[in-house]
């Protein structure tokens, strides 16, 4: 068989582990040929690729980023993108494409699959917001990085008796905020699923100071917004792909909290450090298993499917199901976190 692999959308620790696993399983165990498209769907649309053999993937398991490069170009956004992709798949004699990506990539994968192209998707994102899989690789690394940062920020917050408002990634879901906030023992966690009331938040932090504590750490997810009418708030603009550009909720919150509490407050935006660098062992294993199962799905003709973790098993789920809705933080998970704040 001849298989094409690509990585698309925002990068994420573990992408190289999937690529390596696909190549090992396909080349060594099945005698396949694997090619890697450069810069995501753009590579397929422009027929820009290279051969991936065992040498090409040697030493990449622990490396962050993606050796293939990535971009946010989606076939659906380009006139004639689907026909172009179909033509290149035929010209290159490809039996399957394995796109590794998040929500946008998997939506594009579904579009191409519905158009008859042989696709098996692999979900990735630090945000952990893909429905139909318990976890995406990259999430554990992002939570680990954010937790370490929060541990460090606690000591400087304490030295200066400050309130630190730490903004983490996650887009429209609060998984990174919830997990890193719980792991680091943050004093408040603010997620997009539950619009915040700035006065309630002020009271929570204020009570901590009244109890004699000298500092506070508030973790806020980048997509969090105030409850309507409770605070002036500037929302972000939208980029060309329809993604909201987040406007720095931590900056706005720190101004409000400083004023309302009469305590020094500082915003800290962790940003892309959360998705750079080496993946954790957990993410390496999950990514490797996803790659292995994606190749098996190709050999079993299970096109239009995506690999997914359920408990400890890797299953296949329809791409249509995976992109139906985002996996948000359920209210009971937030309640559990609240009682330990
Ligand atoms: O979806 C992954 C993610 O890292 C989000 O958490 C974040 O909002 C976004 O990508 C950042 O995207 P960009 O790399 O375009 O700034």
């Amino acid at each position: 068989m001849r298989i094409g692999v690509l990585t698309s959308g925002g990068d994420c620790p573990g992408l190289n582990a999937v690529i390596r696993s696909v190549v090992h399983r396909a080349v060594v165990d099945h005698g396949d040929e694997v090619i890697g498209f450069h810069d995501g769907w753009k590579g397929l649309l422009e027929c820009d690729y290279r051969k991936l053999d065992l040498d090409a993937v040697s030493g990449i398991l622990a490396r962050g980023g993606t050796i293939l490069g990535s971009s946010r170009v989606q076939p659906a956004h380009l006139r004639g993108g689907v026909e172009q992709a179909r033509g290149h798949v035929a010209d290159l004699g490809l039996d399957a494409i394995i796109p590794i990506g998040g929500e946008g990539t998997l939506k594009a994968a579904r579009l191409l699959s519905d158009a008859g192209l042989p696709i098996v998707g692999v979900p990735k994102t630090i945000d952990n917001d893909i429905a139909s899989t318990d976890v995406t690789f990259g999430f554990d690394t992002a939570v680990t990085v954010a937790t370490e940062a929060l541990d460090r920020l606690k000591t400087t917050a304490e030295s200066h008796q400050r309130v630190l408002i730490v903004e983490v990634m996650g887009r429209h879901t609060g998984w990174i905020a919830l997990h890193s906030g719980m792991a680091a023992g943050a004093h408040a966690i603010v997620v997009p699923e539950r619009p915040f009331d700035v006065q309630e938040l002020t009271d929570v932090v204020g009570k901590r100071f009244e109890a004699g504590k000298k500092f506070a750490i508030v973790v806020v997810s980048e997509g969090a917004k105030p409850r309507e009418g409770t605070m002036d708030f500037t929302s972000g603009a939208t980029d060309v792909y329809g993604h909201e550009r987040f406007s720095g909720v931590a900056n706005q919150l720190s101004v409000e909290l400083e004023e309302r509490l009469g305590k020094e407050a500082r915003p800290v935006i962790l940003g892309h450090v959360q998705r750079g660098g080496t993946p954790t062992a957990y993410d390496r294993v999950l990514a490797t298993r996803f790659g292995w199962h994606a190749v098996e799905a190709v050999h079993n003709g299970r096109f239009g499917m995506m690999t997914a973790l359920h408990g400890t098993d890797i299953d296949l789920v329809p791409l249509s199901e995976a992109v139906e809705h985002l996996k948000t933080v359920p209210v009971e998970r937030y309640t559990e976190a609240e009682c330990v704040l």
Side-chain angles (χ1 to χ4, degrees):
M1 277 192 156
R2 195 160 201 237
I3 301 172
V5 61
L6 60 88
T7 52
S8 172
D11 74 348
C12 165
L15 287 170
N16 286 327
V18 182
I19 298 168
R20 172 180 173 272
S21 174
V22 165
V23 171
H24 275 257
R25 183 66 178 156
V27 173
V28 179
D29 298 336
H30 289 291
D32 297 335
E33 196 187 330
V34 181
I35 63 169
F37 290 102
H38 298 148
D39 305 331
W41 294 115
K42 191 164 165 273
L44 173 61
L45 296 172
E46 295 176 358
C47 222
D48 178 16
Y49 65 93
R50 69 176 183 270
K51 191 178 167 196
L52 293 178
D53 55 16
L54 293 182
D55 278 349
V57 297
S58 170
I60 66 168
L61 175 60
R63 203 192 300 170
T66 159
I67 59 163
L68 293 175
S70 190
S71 71
R72 291 207 188 273
V73 174
Q74 309 287 5
H77 292 127
L78 299 175
R79 205 191 303 251
V82 176
E83 285 320 307
Q84 224 170 326
R86 194 200 304 281
H88 291 154
V89 167
D91 293 347
L92 293 167
L94 287 180
D95 298 295
I97 303 175
I98 301 179
I100 311 163
E103 193 207 352
T105 305
L106 295 170
K107 279 188 174 151
R110 187 197 172 179
L111 181 98
L112 294 180
S113 169
D114 287 351
L117 293 178
I119 308 258
V120 173
V122 173
K124 70 88 215 179
T125 169
I126 63 165
D127 302 336
N128 196 34
D129 60 358
I130 307 288
S132 311
T133 180
D134 291 355
V135 189
T136 45
F137 66 85
F139 174 62
D140 186 64
T141 306
V143 169
T144 302
V145 171
T147 303
E148 192 192 322
L150 290 167
D151 288 345
R152 289 175 183 279
L153 289 167
K154 271 186 165 176
T155 64
T156 174
E158 188 167 23
S159 306
H160 294 270
Q161 298 99 52
R162 283 174 174 157
V163 182
L164 292 186
I165 296 93
V166 187
E167 183 175 317
V168 296
M169 283 185 166
R171 297 192 64 73
H172 303 292
T173 65
W175 290 107
I176 299 177
L178 180 79
H179 279 234
S180 62
M182 282 180 90
H187 309 114
I189 300 174
V190 184
V191 296
E193 289 85 347
R194 217 173 97 137
F196 62 88
D197 179 323
V198 69
Q199 191 50 50
E200 273 176 19
L201 196 56
T202 307
D203 293 343
V204 168
V205 178
K207 277 201 187 105
R208 190 174 148 77
F209 281 101
E210 278 161 27
K213 304 287 186 192
K214 302 269 185 255
F215 74 102
I217 300 284
V218 176
V219 182
V220 57
S221 187
E222 62 183 358
K225 294 201 168 61
R227 216 175 286 160
E228 224 174 298
T230 55
M231 177 182 147
D232 285 342
F233 189 76
T234 314
S235 286
T238 308
D239 71 14
V240 284
Y241 306 113
H243 286 134
E244 184 172 348
R245 293 195 71 108
F246 297 101
S247 55
V249 58
N251 294 327
Q252 301 185 57
L253 255 182
S254 87
V255 172
E256 283 286 334
L257 288 180
E258 183 162 296
E259 211 171 277
R260 290 171 189 247
L261 284 162
K263 303 277 176 202
E264 223 182 358
R266 292 277 193 277
V268 180
I269 299 178
L270 292 186
H272 293 79
V273 69
Q274 293 161 93
R275 65 181 214 212
T278 191
T280 58
Y282 180 90
D283 281 339
R284 292 179 203 184
V285 172
L286 182 57
T288 299
R289 294 185 73 201
F290 275 177
W292 195 99
H293 283 269
V295 173
E296 291 319 287
V298 166
H299 276 269
N300 292 325
R302 306 288 309 278
F303 299 118
M305 306 295 271
M306 176 192 95
T307 57
L309 179 72
H310 294 147
T312 55
D313 294 337
I314 307 289
D315 296 327
L316 293 174
V317 294
L319 279 168
S320 53
E321 207 177 282
V323 297
E324 223 164 54
H325 60 90
L326 283 184
K327 184 177 68 193
T328 51
V329 172
V331 72
E332 57 278 11
R333 287 297 314 274
Y334 189 81
T335 312
E336 283 168 10
E338 241 175 356
C339 77
V340 294
L341 297 177

